[in-house]
Amino acid sequence: MTEIEGIDPGAAPSGTGCVECEEVHGWWFHLRRCAQCGHIGCCDSSPAQHATAHWKATGHPLVQSFEPGEDWFWNYATNALFQGGPALTPPSEHPPTQPAPGPSERVPQDWTSRLHS
């Protein structure tokens, strides 16, 4: 496969949940994985939007969904969606037992009213 600038297939994911949400015992809606360094951040619908914050802080524009059954990539710099790409180092998704939103014990009852649209 041809190398794609901004994607490092060898970068392992930083964990199974949003790094910053885990640090403050927060919660997320869906997860995104930085295709360059493996950072796991929460999506733009999540209250904290850590995946976008990671792009702005590092300049790493490409993320892949870290949701089960999804393999699409998003480019924050160009607002482009790609329905596939190179295989990244496993795992390619959070554990199937981890719900979305998650983690379940930290999701408030009114979580739907806290999402960004």
Side-chain angles (χ1 to χ4, degrees):
M1 161 149 258
T2 305
E3 284 188 29
I4 299 172
E5 186 176 343
I7 296 180
D8 180 357
S14 60
T16 60
C18 175
V19 173
E20 292 83 4
C21 287
E22 291 285 17
E23 289 174 355
V24 298
H25 303 289
W27 63 278
W28 53 82
F29 184 47
H30 289 132
L31 297 171
R32 307 294 178 240
R33 173 185 181 171
C34 177
Q36 189 163 342
C37 72
H39 174 273
I40 303 297
C42 54
C43 72
D44 284 350
S45 295
S46 298
Q49 303 174 329
H50 287 123
T52 294
H54 176 75
W55 163 56
K56 290 178 179 179
T58 64
H60 300 168
L62 297 167
V63 294
Q64 184 178 43
S65 175
F66 202 59
E67 294 299 314
E70 298 180 357
D71 65 355
W72 53 262
F73 286 79
W74 177 258
N75 186 326
Y76 285 112
T78 63
N79 289 321
L81 176 70
F82 301 93
Q83 290 299 328
L88 304 180
T89 297
S92 60
E93 59 191 36
H94 65 74
T97 56
Q98 180 179 307
S104 59
E105 69 276 6
R106 298 194 310 237
V107 178
Q109 287 190 339
D110 66 342
W111 67 271
T112 57
S113 68
R114 298 177 186 220
L115 296 178
H116 294 271
S117 49

